[in-house]
Amino acid sequence: MTRIGMACTKCGNNQAFSYDHVTCACGGSLLVQYDMELAAKTMTKQAIQSRPSSMWRYKELLPVSSPEDVVSLGEGWTPLSYMNIQGIGLPVDHVWIKREELNPTGSFKARGMSVAVSLLKERKARYAAVSSNGNAASALAAYAGCAGIEAIVFLPEDCPPLIVQECLSYGARTFRVQGLIQDAGQWVEAGKHLFGWSTVATLKEPGRVEGKKTMGFELAEQLGWKLPSVIIYPTGGGSGLIGMWKAFHELKQMGMIADPLPRMVSVQDAGCSPLVSAMGNHATVLDAPAATGMRVPRPPDIDLLLHILKETGGKAVAVNQVEIDGAQRYLGYRGVSSSPEGAATWAGLLKLCEEGWIRRDDSVVLFNTCHGLKYGKSLGLESVPLLANLKELFYHTS
Amino acid sequence: MTRIGMACTKCGNNQAFSYDHVTCACGGSLLVQYDMELAAKTMTKQAIQSRPSSMWRYKELLPVSSPEDVVSLGEGWTPLSYMNIQGIGLPVDHVWIKREELNPTGSFKARGMSVAVSLLKERKARYAAVSSNGNAASALAAYAGCAGIEAIVFLPEDCPPLIVQECLSYGARTFRVQGLIQDAGQWVEAGKHLFGWSTVATLKEPGRVEGKKTMGFELAEQLGWKLPSVIIYPTGGGSGLIGMWKAFHELKQMGMIADPLPRMVSVQDAGCSPLVSAMGNHATVLDAPAATGMRVPRPPDIDLLLHILKETGGKAVAVNQVEIDGAQRYLGYRGVSSSPEGAATWAGLLKLCEEGWIRRDDSVVLFNTCHGLKYGKSLGLESVPLLANLKELFYHTS
């Protein structure tokens, strides 16, 4: 058992491990701490290599006590694809894209929920609730279903219909709520007090950050225990960013990596970019924000996110809908199904190249956090030719 | 270079490797042959273990000559999930589900197209066409896009709209055709003669069977170089079944496995079950067949499929729409997003258990060939409660 307690990211205070008190008296976030010396004994580079191809290969640094409580659907160990960008005039040589859309439930949210639901199983919880822009809800639905725990999910009214459908197909009690994600959050809090639900909302429990941390571990392992110089990540609540930052510090502590931390870049929707504003830049707001995972007006711990961007020499950058649409087309035509959030990282890369912030010798990792299919717009099939005779084939292919 | 030629599965004749002549004069299918002794030198169990987590870990037994021609989007090495079926009264102890929905493009078709498009790149083809019930088309679209080859795809008129959308998003020239998959096939043949397109339709080129073969390799490796006793596989054109059967024979030839071949079961839609009929059983036809990958009235090489089912002591079984719907719900509530084809394998398992054909000590592997999301029906969002005040939460949770 390597889990030994929690520490505050703001004041540094330590406390015992808790399933549901993860905010320090000072307002900072409490993150799980491990016995790193004990972990290092078994979590060696060589040992990991022969373990199953899932994020649970890093089990020593995940907070679940007993293997029997691990709720797994095959999450993690997603491909890191090298992008062929030669000949397109981009002033950078090496770009990879981490294919988080190939997780169960089609998004990176599976990682966090695998750990969060495992902790719920460990504590024998019966109900789990979440407010979400969509993907965290469907991930909770799947993992809770797998564990025999009842999921209750609250989504903004304009959540993409396929994601709502997904929640239902995994058996979650599914509600839509007027307003944005923070409005949905009020219902979870109400249910917690009224019905004793456990909440797995962002930074309300210790598991999700730990699960997302494995994106950082995998990046290091897949690059041969090297780190890229830049990570571009779409940021809503930001727990993925927090998780990866924590992962890199843990690997350093164990002596498994030597590189400096990557400059971490948050990409946001120009219509909703609290981090860009807080970093002292102003986004040009052209549109209302789209209903994506980036639409989080009030991230639960924005101070920690700012700290991470500054500590690593990173940046926050806003991209607009036109740029996102173009990026989605670009990636699609190269065989990668990207969500608006994932496409935003490519758009962010273009912008940072234009600004000269990315250097030619940088190695850059983009994160495609979700499958594009989940945002599927209803298609006017009449726009797709229906062939009836050979003459038409000539017509359409001339 | 381990690729040495092709052999006919019917008359045994050998011929040189060909990119597009894969039907023997006798009518049998020509499959790729390798220098197995040469392959065995480098493709050892230990060597494979440290290779990338994709199907290209078995590169010695894939027919692409040069690594530069490999077109990869991270396909293969999908999770094999152990199903927790205790307490549901099923008279079998060990069931796994191979999670093919976690491939790029959300289906097992990615495997075949990765190899087929690599061979197109090797021969410097510019156009690739396919007739498909949907998933082969979107996989071709993605891999061709990645390789800079133009894809032209022909789909039945009633193909699920999201899959049509997927083909468009990967940049394929996309056509719908009146009728079924064989009707779509006529357009590909026409384009081949009129415009010089390469066809990658089922059993019209050598790559797709080889790519799908890797499902068999992975099964063996993931089970510790053991084979299950039963494989239940949804069958349309059947090249996945042919591929796995070939894989097991190749592994035996290399001395990498000792177990007898699994009894291979084809699951079909009761409304379209040519294999069930050919095996001498009659399916009770309740419905017209749904627009899924199983709707293939005339598999290109039904003789070979029958041979495989008989040689392995397998079976063909038909399931109807009600059974498929129920199976999809069952798997969904346990966190697995299954396509109708994937769900059919669970329905088939129930049927075979009921018949007593499955024995308690059997180890069974089901194949979830595709993500359920791709068949997403348009959701009446009005059926999902839109909460406006706290009182309603009480109402809906009472």
Side-chain angles (χ1 to χ4, degrees):
Chain A
M1 172 71 163
T2 49
R3 178 182 88 196
I4 51 171
M6 309 185 90
C8 177
T9 53
K10 196 168 174 184
C11 72
N13 269 352
N14 294 309
Q15 71 158 55
F17 176 81
S18 163
Y19 291 109
D20 47 13
H21 292 112
V22 295
T23 306
C24 181
C26 79
S29 295
L30 294 160
L31 302 183
V32 182
Q33 299 294 301
Y34 301 87
D35 181 336
M36 300 304 280
E37 275 182 44
L38 186 61
K41 279 185 191 160
T42 50
M43 193 176 135
T44 63
K45 292 178 187 178
Q46 195 169 1
I48 294 170
Q49 204 197 4
S50 60
R51 291 185 181 173
S53 302
S54 91
M55 65 176 220
W56 291 94
R57 63 202 280 119
Y58 312 106
K59 59 185 177 182
E60 286 88 346
L61 296 184
L62 290 172
V64 184
S65 306
S66 160
E68 285 88 69
D69 289 325
V70 170
V71 182
S72 174
L73 290 165
E75 52 293 325
W77 202 246
T78 54
L80 180 67
S81 302
Y82 187 71
M83 290 185 76
N84 179 8
I85 51 165
Q86 278 167 341
I88 66 166
L90 218 56
V92 61
D93 289 332
H94 300 297
V95 180
W96 288 264
I97 185 161
K98 182 75 170 152
R99 308 285 300 282
E100 288 298 297
E101 85 276 19
L102 300 182
N103 275 299
T105 79
S107 88
F108 77 114
K109 299 282 186 183
R111 296 178 186 265
M113 288 303 176
S114 177
V115 177
V117 173
S118 296
L119 290 176
L120 292 176
K121 191 174 171 194
E122 183 177 295
R123 69 190 291 203
K124 301 193 181 2
R126 290 180 53 205
Y127 304 97
V130 80
S131 49
S132 161
N133 277 320
N135 284 318
S138 69
L140 172 64
Y143 286 88
C146 181
I149 292 168
E150 187 161 353
I152 309 106
V153 305
F154 296 88
L155 305 162
E157 192 175 359
D158 59 356
C159 179
L162 272 173
I163 301 182
V164 181
Q165 175 71 56
E166 218 194 345
C167 295
L168 294 169
S169 74
Y170 292 133
R173 281 157 66 192
T174 305
F175 298 102
R176 293 180 305 139
V177 164
Q178 284 164 351
L180 301 180
I181 187 167
Q182 65 261 29
D183 304 297
Q186 296 171 3
W187 296 88
V188 175
E189 287 302 310
K192 186 176 160 184
H193 295 298
L194 292 169
F195 309 114
W197 296 344
S198 299
T199 170
V200 293
T202 306
L203 295 178
K204 298 290 185 198
E205 58 70 58
R208 287 177 63 192
V209 167
E210 296 302 301
K212 291 177 186 174
K213 192 174 73 174
T214 58
M215 293 189 290
F217 292 157
E218 289 179 19
L219 214 54
E221 188 179 352
Q222 289 174 322
L223 292 173
W225 301 105
K226 295 272 183 194
L227 295 182
S229 52
V230 175
I231 286 176
I232 306 184
Y233 195 81
T235 310
S239 57
L241 211 64
I242 298 170
M244 281 196 282
W245 167 79
K246 185 171 189 273
F248 298 141
H249 278 291
E250 287 175 350
L251 290 178
K252 273 192 172 295
Q253 215 182 325
M254 292 171 83
M256 292 174 83
I257 52 169
D259 288 335
L261 258 62
R263 284 135 61 207
M264 299 185 84
V265 177
S266 278
V267 175
Q268 302 206 291
D269 184 325
C272 176
S273 49
L275 277 166
V276 180
S277 308
M279 288 288 280
N281 302 311
H282 52 90
T284 314
V285 182
L286 295 175
D287 314 295
T292 74
M294 292 184 291
R295 192 179 62 182
V296 180
R298 296 198 292 269
D301 191 348
I302 193 166
D303 291 344
L304 180 53
L305 296 175
L306 290 172
H307 171 78
I308 292 170
L309 299 186
K310 287 173 185 169
E311 180 195 300
T312 64
K315 198 175 163 82
V317 60
V319 293
N320 66 36
Q321 199 55 51
V322 174
E323 293 167 316
I324 291 173
D325 288 347
Q328 226 170 355
R329 265 194 308 278
Y330 180 84
L331 294 173
Y333 286 6
R334 271 136 202 93
V336 174
S337 169
S338 70
S339 60
E341 301 91 340
T345 65
W346 174 258
L349 172 67
L350 298 188
K351 189 159 271 190
L352 293 172
C353 283
E354 205 173 272
E355 290 178 8
W357 191 85
I358 297 275
R359 299 184 298 258
R360 175 153 299 278
D361 64 344
D362 275 329
S363 52
V364 182
V365 173
L366 311 178
F367 274 80
N368 185 30
T369 45
C370 178
H371 212 293
L373 207 63
K374 296 177 78 166
Y375 296 79
K377 288 145 199 155
S378 65
L379 176 70
L381 275 182
E382 61 285 357
S383 68
V384 181
L386 178 61
L387 299 177
N389 64 56
L390 202 60
K391 199 177 62 194
E392 293 183 79
L393 188 57
F394 272 102
Y395 175 72
H396 287 291
T397 54
S398 61
Chain B
M1 173 71 162
T2 48
R3 180 182 87 195
I4 50 170
M6 310 184 90
C8 176
T9 54
K10 198 169 172 184
C11 72
N13 269 352
N14 292 310
Q15 71 159 57
F17 176 81
S18 163
Y19 291 111
D20 47 13
H21 292 112
V22 295
T23 306
C24 183
C26 80
S29 296
L30 293 160
L31 302 183
V32 182
Q33 299 294 300
Y34 300 87
D35 181 336
M36 301 304 280
E37 275 182 45
L38 185 62
K41 279 186 191 161
T42 50
M43 193 177 135
T44 63
K45 292 178 186 178
Q46 196 169 359
I48 295 170
Q49 204 195 4
S50 60
R51 291 186 182 172
S53 301
S54 91
M55 65 177 218
W56 291 93
R57 63 202 280 119
Y58 311 107
K59 58 185 177 182
E60 286 87 347
L61 296 184
L62 290 172
V64 184
S65 306
S66 160
E68 285 88 68
D69 290 324
V70 170
V71 182
S72 174
L73 290 165
E75 53 292 326
W77 202 246
T78 54
L80 179 68
S81 302
Y82 187 72
M83 290 185 76
N84 179 9
I85 51 165
Q86 278 168 341
I88 66 166
L90 217 56
V92 59
D93 289 332
H94 300 298
V95 180
W96 287 265
I97 186 162
K98 181 75 170 154
R99 307 285 300 283
E100 289 297 298
E101 85 277 18
L102 300 183
N103 274 300
T105 78
S107 88
F108 77 114
K109 298 284 186 182
R111 294 178 188 267
M113 287 304 176
S114 177
V115 177
V117 172
S118 297
L119 290 177
L120 292 176
K121 192 174 170 194
E122 184 176 293
R123 68 189 290 202
K124 303 193 181 3
R126 290 179 53 205
Y127 303 97
V130 78
S131 49
S132 160
N133 276 318
N135 284 318
S138 69
L140 172 64
Y143 285 88
C146 182
I149 292 167
E150 187 161 352
I152 309 107
V153 306
F154 296 88
L155 305 162
E157 194 175 0
D158 59 356
C159 178
L162 272 173
I163 301 182
V164 181
Q165 175 70 59
E166 219 193 345
C167 295
L168 293 169
S169 75
Y170 292 132
R173 280 155 67 193
T174 305
F175 297 101
R176 293 180 305 139
V177 164
Q178 283 165 351
L180 301 179
I181 187 168
Q182 64 261 30
D183 304 297
Q186 296 170 1
W187 295 89
V188 175
E189 287 302 310
K192 187 176 158 184
H193 295 296
L194 291 169
F195 309 114
W197 297 343
S198 299
T199 169
V200 294
T202 307
L203 295 179
K204 299 287 186 202
E205 57 70 57
R208 288 177 63 193
V209 166
E210 296 302 301
K212 291 177 184 172
K213 192 174 75 174
T214 58
M215 293 189 291
F217 291 157
E218 289 179 18
L219 214 54
E221 187 179 353
Q222 289 174 323
L223 292 172
W225 301 104
K226 295 272 184 194
L227 296 182
S229 52
V230 175
I231 285 176
I232 306 184
Y233 195 81
T235 309
S239 57
L241 211 64
I242 297 170
M244 283 196 281
W245 167 80
K246 184 169 190 274
F248 298 142
H249 279 291
E250 288 175 349
L251 291 177
K252 273 192 172 296
Q253 215 182 324
M254 292 172 83
M256 292 175 82
I257 52 169
D259 288 335
L261 258 62
R263 283 134 62 205
M264 298 185 83
V265 178
S266 277
V267 176
Q268 302 206 290
D269 184 324
C272 176
S273 49
L275 278 166
V276 179
S277 307
M279 288 287 281
N281 302 310
H282 52 92
T284 314
V285 182
L286 294 175
D287 315 295
T292 74
M294 291 184 291
R295 192 179 62 181
V296 180
R298 296 197 293 269
D301 191 349
I302 193 165
D303 291 344
L304 179 55
L305 296 174
L306 290 171
H307 170 78
I308 292 170
L309 299 186
K310 287 173 184 168
E311 180 195 302
T312 63
K315 198 176 161 81
V317 60
V319 295
N320 65 36
Q321 198 56 53
V322 174
E323 293 166 317
I324 291 173
D325 288 347
Q328 225 171 355
R329 266 195 308 279
Y330 180 85
L331 293 173
Y333 286 6
R334 273 138 200 93
V336 175
S337 169
S338 69
S339 60
E341 300 91 341
T345 64
W346 174 258
L349 172 67
L350 298 187
K351 189 157 270 188
L352 294 172
C353 283
E354 206 174 272
E355 290 177 9
W357 191 85
I358 298 274
R359 299 184 297 258
R360 176 156 297 280
D361 63 345
D362 275 329
S363 51
V364 182
V365 173
L366 312 178
F367 274 81
N368 185 30
T369 43
C370 178
H371 212 292
L373 208 62
K374 295 178 79 166
Y375 296 78
K377 290 147 197 154
S378 65
L379 176 70
L381 276 182
E382 61 285 355
S383 68
V384 181
L386 178 63
L387 298 177
N389 65 56
L390 203 60
K391 200 177 62 194
E392 293 182 79
L393 187 57
F394 273 101
Y395 174 72
H396 286 290
T397 54
S398 62

